[in-house]
Amino acid sequence: MAESAAPAASAVSDAARELTGTWTCNGSIHGPGGASPSKVRFEARLELDKAWLRTDFVAVSGEYPYKFTSYRTFDSTARTWRNVILDNMGGDATSSSTDGVTWVGESTGPMGRMKIQDTEHLVSPGMLTLRGQYSMDGMSWNTGYDLTCEK
């Protein structure tokens, strides 16, 4: 069991090395009234004996006070990242990724059940882009947030 946990711990540690810290993000969060220019604080750190990478997303300005906490880990048997998200609107989501950049899954919340696709791209050390999209029908996609972040 310890041998199979080693690759997962290594993958989580590698991701944490790049993401750990506080990021300041600028861009937009979309809501019922459309896109709102927003600033977001995005923080990442290892938790639960370094088995999970926790991220906190908090809108610090803009029309939509959106925030969420996510926990992600790497399943070395399936060679897939798993992610669990809880937000301040009573929503929850699960998603997975094979590359740690594009996360695909489903969420539930005030708008009902929907498909989600999030992109978290480390452009360079200290530069990160975040984009969240959702679809009610699995075919047409809407933007939830679109941000550029600096550490």
Side-chain angles (χ1 to χ4, degrees):
M1 183 138 189
E3 288 178 24
S4 66
S10 176
V12 172
S13 293
D14 289 348
R17 189 174 311 114
E18 296 175 344
L19 290 176
T20 294
T22 301
W23 300 77
T24 301
C25 309
N26 291 291
S28 59
I29 295 178
H30 299 245
S36 171
S38 303
K39 284 192 177 216
V40 169
R41 184 180 68 247
F42 183 77
E43 295 181 51
R45 65 185 169 280
L46 287 171
E47 285 198 355
L48 300 169
D49 296 331
K50 301 180 181 178
W52 292 84
L53 180 65
R54 175 182 173 158
T55 63
D56 291 296
F57 176 111
V58 178
V60 295
S61 73
E63 187 177 338
Y64 309 112
Y66 184 57
K67 55 179 90 168
F68 66 77
T69 297
S70 75
Y71 282 92
R72 69 181 66 157
T73 194
F74 187 73
D75 181 337
S76 56
T77 303
R79 298 192 182 291
T80 303
W81 285 93
R82 293 181 297 132
N83 194 38
V84 178
I85 303 166
L86 302 173
D87 71 27
N88 65 319
M89 296 184 293
D92 67 89
T94 57
S95 58
S96 62
S97 175
T98 56
D99 62 6
V101 174
T102 303
W103 300 80
V104 177
E106 291 189 349
S107 75
T108 57
M111 293 173 50
R113 191 157 196 75
M114 66 183 97
K115 304 282 185 191
I116 59 170
Q117 180 172 297
D118 298 320
T119 305
E120 184 178 286
H121 179 64
L122 188 68
V123 177
S124 63
M127 179 71 69
L128 177 70
T129 58
L130 302 174
R131 184 166 197 209
Q133 297 177 290
Y134 63 93
S135 174
M136 302 306 289
D137 61 10
M139 295 185 294
S140 56
W141 291 86
N142 299 294
T143 300
Y145 56 87
D146 197 0
L147 304 158
T148 299
C149 310
E150 292 183 355
K151 199 185 257 188

